[in-house]
Amino acid sequence: MSARTVLAVSDLTAAYGNATALHGVSLEVREGETVALIGANGAGKSTTLRTISGLLAARSGRIAWEGKDITNWPADRVVAAGLSHCPEERHVWPEMTVEENLRLGGYLCGSRREVDRRAALAFGRFPRLQERAGQLAGTLSGGEQQMLAIARALMSEPRLLMLDEPSLGLSPKMAEDVFAVVRDINRHGVTVLLVEQNVHNALSVASRAYVLETGRVTAERNAGDLRDDPDLLRTYLGG
Amino acid sequence: MNLALQFLANGLVTGAFYALSALGLTLIFGLMRVVNFAHGEFFMLGGVLGWVATAVLGLDFATAFVLVVAAMGVLGWLVDRFMIERVRGHGEESTILLTIGLSIFLANATLYLAGPAPMKVPAPLTGKPLFLGPVVLTKSRLAAVAVSVVLVLGAYLVIHRTRIGRAMRATFQDAMAAKLSGIRTERIFAATFALGTMLAASAGMLLASIYSAQASVGGLVSLKAFVVVILGGMGSFPGAIAGGLILGLSEAFWGGYVSTGTVDIVGFVMVILILLFRPRGLFSLNAQRA
Ligand SMILES: Nc1ncnc2c1ncn2[C@@H]1O[C@H](COP(=O)(O)OP(=O)(O)O)[C@@H](O)[C@H]1O
Ligand SMILES: [Mg+2]
């Protein structure tokens, strides 16, 4: 692997009150990769993303982004630095229109013309959203909301996109579409860190995967190896 | 018939004042979802400080207004950053207790410092009342109605048409998503609380030039403002105007034809009925979704 490491998380711990959720997570993401973070419910996948994006304070450890220490930066600085986090369960603003949701994704972009340009790109990529531009986001279907959440996360033109369970609650067909979008985003040069319950989908788009178990990384493998070896997968995921 | 027209005019004027008095609460309770029982005291302080600036210090009305509103903005900002911020996300009970405590403190501190007597802010406009056919209206009332309309419209435009307004709505609908888009939500909360406090104080000072300011008025103002916000639908500015007018008109006609002593009951009866039958407000399209 010649690509440089853009995100390096080392020995990260984090807690909700007194309940420690991460007991020293280390992982690396290289430029242009799609890396999957897999593991059972409650393993700490979302917590890892939340700590990277500044929603949750790290207790110890270090998060380095393109060589800079961004540990415990506030969320707005993390976004400005080029990381974008598309959260679990979509979290679109239900009482705002699709277009308002989208444009707010580019909140930190000072130029209105530039936001126009990015919104036009997003509508080009997601024609369904264009059709529903004036509709309240709360009235969209689950799949459409997921597309909107991804499109919104892309409005800051991130170099790293962190996606948390983008296929959750979607029909297999819808999930297919979402993963096609993830592949497409990655082809356009955006590095992706993907959290998924649906391991087969995750491994179909990722090149490498980290397995998380109760707040610790227990394995790091090529996605192909895991895909071709169901027994190996079972050992890690206990399924 | 002439009497009915006068009741109608009085009701519309009072209604515009109710809408104005509730504007700050539309923002803080309706949009931001902070149950702010100190709203009436912010209104009261606007009037009392307005009286200090004009009647005591001798400033002209416009200068005094700007200074009072700015000072109240600072107070609102501090209250949010140092008090509300600590209980944010810990349920409504904490906020309610906090703002009730704050309201008691503000009312009694004012009572202690300024006394219980009414404090009249000199009206910026004087002169003969206007006679429109059988209806009599004073110029200062009409001017206050005009200012109410401007403030309501201004607040609406800020919330719906500006970048900070969009950031506010995003923050109140889903603060986590707002943070992930780069919005500094703690500033948005403080700015909204400050803006709501400024609107309450503006209303208080304007109305203190028509009626008068009084340290003990806060409780009733808060209650009526909650009535207006609930009637109109949470966080809706057009709704707040409609809610204010409905309350003003009902009180004017009830007071005129039934009895003046029971006027204050009218609003509460309406709120109880609204909460029972249209919990999202009179004008919400989807009353079911409460
Ligand atoms: N908001 C929260 N408050 C308290 N504990 C939480 C919270 N969110 C997650 N946890 C706990 O932290 C651990 C990791 O959760 P999470 O990161 O959401 O797991 P995953 O995304 O892998 O399903 C779990 O034990 C979970 O119960
Ligand atoms: Mg999760």
Side-chain angles (χ1 to χ4, degrees):
Chain A
M1 272 288 170
S2 58
R4 68 186 176 120
T5 297
V6 283
L7 178 73
V9 173
S10 35
D11 219 13
L12 189 66
T13 66
Y16 298 95
N18 290 326
T20 305
L22 301 183
H23 302 267
V25 168
S26 298
L27 57 87
E28 290 195 349
V29 180
R30 295 179 201 120
E31 190 164 30
E33 267 190 316
T34 295
V35 172
L37 202 54
I38 58 182
N41 215 344
K45 307 180 296 294
S46 300
T47 305
T48 303
L49 296 196
R50 278 185 211 128
T51 313
I52 295 171
S53 61
L55 292 177
L56 188 67
R59 287 280 161 97
S60 66
R62 184 169 188 268
I63 303 163
W65 166 246
E66 296 181 334
K68 280 190 303 280
D69 187 347
I70 62 161
T71 320
N72 287 334
W73 277 20
D76 60 295
R77 278 187 78 193
V78 176
V79 179
L83 292 86
S84 190
H85 175 181
C86 180
E88 198 172 19
E89 292 168 340
R90 322 184 222 297
H91 284 269
V92 297
W93 295 295
E95 311 267 328
M96 297 178 86
T97 67
V98 168
E99 183 162 4
E100 284 178 318
N101 267 271
L102 193 60
R103 298 185 66 98
L104 269 171
Y107 182 76
L108 291 181
C109 170
S111 146
R112 204 195 156 102
R113 298 249 319 267
E114 176 60 18
V115 175
D116 288 344
R117 188 188 67 82
R118 293 180 191 177
L121 273 176
F123 281 139
R125 190 196 287 269
F126 301 103
R128 291 284 285 181
L129 297 183
Q130 168 97 73
E131 288 164 30
R132 290 158 200 275
Q135 204 170 312
L136 294 185
T139 65
L140 298 181
S141 74
E144 289 164 346
Q145 288 191 10
Q146 185 60 58
M147 294 300 187
L148 177 56
I150 295 176
R152 179 181 65 184
L154 289 173
M155 285 292 288
S156 60
E157 301 221 313
R159 275 161 284 147
L160 175 73
L161 176 64
M162 297 186 280
L163 283 169
D164 198 343
E165 310 238 13
S167 73
L168 193 74
L170 302 189
S171 69
K173 168 76 183 72
M174 244 0 268
E176 248 336 287
D177 293 351
V178 167
F179 285 105
V181 164
V182 174
R183 255 184 231 106
D184 183 56
I185 290 167
N186 184 238
R187 249 200 314 278
H188 280 81
V190 179
T191 308
V192 176
L193 179 56
L194 171 70
V195 164
E196 259 297 332
Q197 284 273 326
N198 185 328
V199 174
H200 289 279
N201 279 336
L203 296 179
S204 73
V205 291
S207 52
R208 287 189 304 126
Y210 287 91
V211 181
L212 216 58
E213 258 176 72
T214 55
R216 285 186 186 82
V217 172
T218 50
E220 185 247 315
R221 287 294 150 98
N222 283 330
D225 296 351
L226 283 172
R227 211 163 39 224
D228 301 337
D229 194 342
D231 290 335
L232 186 63
L233 201 54
R234 244 193 308 279
T235 5
Y236 290 131
L237 298 181
Chain B
M1 187 58 211
N2 287 351
L3 210 53
L5 280 178
Q6 184 69 48
F7 290 153
L8 181 70
N10 291 351
L12 288 174
V13 170
T14 318
F17 293 166
Y18 281 147
L20 177 68
S21 312
L23 202 53
L25 198 67
T26 301
L27 214 57
I28 290 178
F29 172 55
L31 270 177
M32 193 172 165
R33 297 298 156 106
V34 170
V35 187
N36 178 24
F37 277 104
H39 173 78
E41 276 67 29
F42 293 154
F43 173 100
M44 177 276 290
L45 277 181
V48 171
L49 291 178
W51 171 78
V52 171
T54 52
V56 179
L57 300 178
L59 298 173
D60 66 283
F61 188 88
T63 312
F65 187 77
V66 171
L67 286 178
V68 167
V69 171
M72 290 299 290
V74 173
L75 176 70
W77 183 283
L78 294 175
V79 166
D80 186 82
R81 285 314 292 268
F82 293 102
M83 303 175 84
I84 311 278
E85 175 71 29
R86 286 164 186 270
V87 297
R88 193 151 12 245
H90 292 280
E92 276 171 2
E93 295 84 355
S94 330
T95 327
I96 291 173
L97 289 174
L98 177 67
T99 57
I100 288 179
L102 181 64
S103 77
I104 294 172
F105 170 76
L106 291 176
N108 286 288
T110 310
L111 208 54
Y112 177 72
L113 293 172
M119 292 158 260
K120 177 93 171 70
V121 172
L125 289 177
T126 45
K128 292 201 177 68
L130 298 175
F131 293 87
L132 306 167
V135 176
V136 189
L137 287 171
T138 62
K139 278 188 194 140
S140 57
R141 282 185 191 218
L142 284 179
V145 169
V147 174
S148 311
V149 172
V150 168
L151 285 177
V152 173
L153 212 64
Y156 176 85
L157 289 176
V158 166
I159 296 301
H160 288 273
R161 296 275 184 275
T162 68
R163 184 176 125 100
I164 187 163
R166 278 187 281 272
M168 284 174 174
R169 284 182 291 142
T171 299
F172 310 142
Q173 283 174 38
D174 195 320
M176 183 190 81
K179 280 189 184 152
L180 290 178
S181 291
I183 296 169
R184 297 169 76 164
T185 54
E186 70 292 344
R187 289 193 173 187
I188 293 291
F189 282 121
T192 311
F193 201 86
L195 188 58
T197 307
M198 289 160 81
L199 287 168
S202 316
M205 182 165 167
L206 270 178
L207 294 188
S209 76
I210 289 174
Y211 309 105
S212 57
Q214 218 169 346
S216 57
V217 80
L220 192 61
V221 172
S222 283
L223 286 175
K224 292 218 171 166
F226 276 104
V227 170
V228 169
V229 173
I230 293 168
L231 277 178
M234 303 280 283
S236 156
F237 292 99
I241 298 176
L245 292 180
I246 290 172
L247 182 63
L249 287 170
S250 328
E251 286 188 359
F253 283 101
W254 185 272
Y257 289 118
V258 186
S259 88
T260 41
T262 51
V263 156
D264 288 337
I265 295 174
V266 175
F268 303 118
V269 171
M270 284 197 288
V271 160
I272 290 167
L273 293 177
I274 292 280
L275 289 177
L276 283 176
F277 296 108
R278 288 189 74 88
R280 281 173 65 94
L282 272 183
F283 308 100
S284 65
L285 296 174
N286 37 8
Q288 285 20 291
R289 248 177 64 194

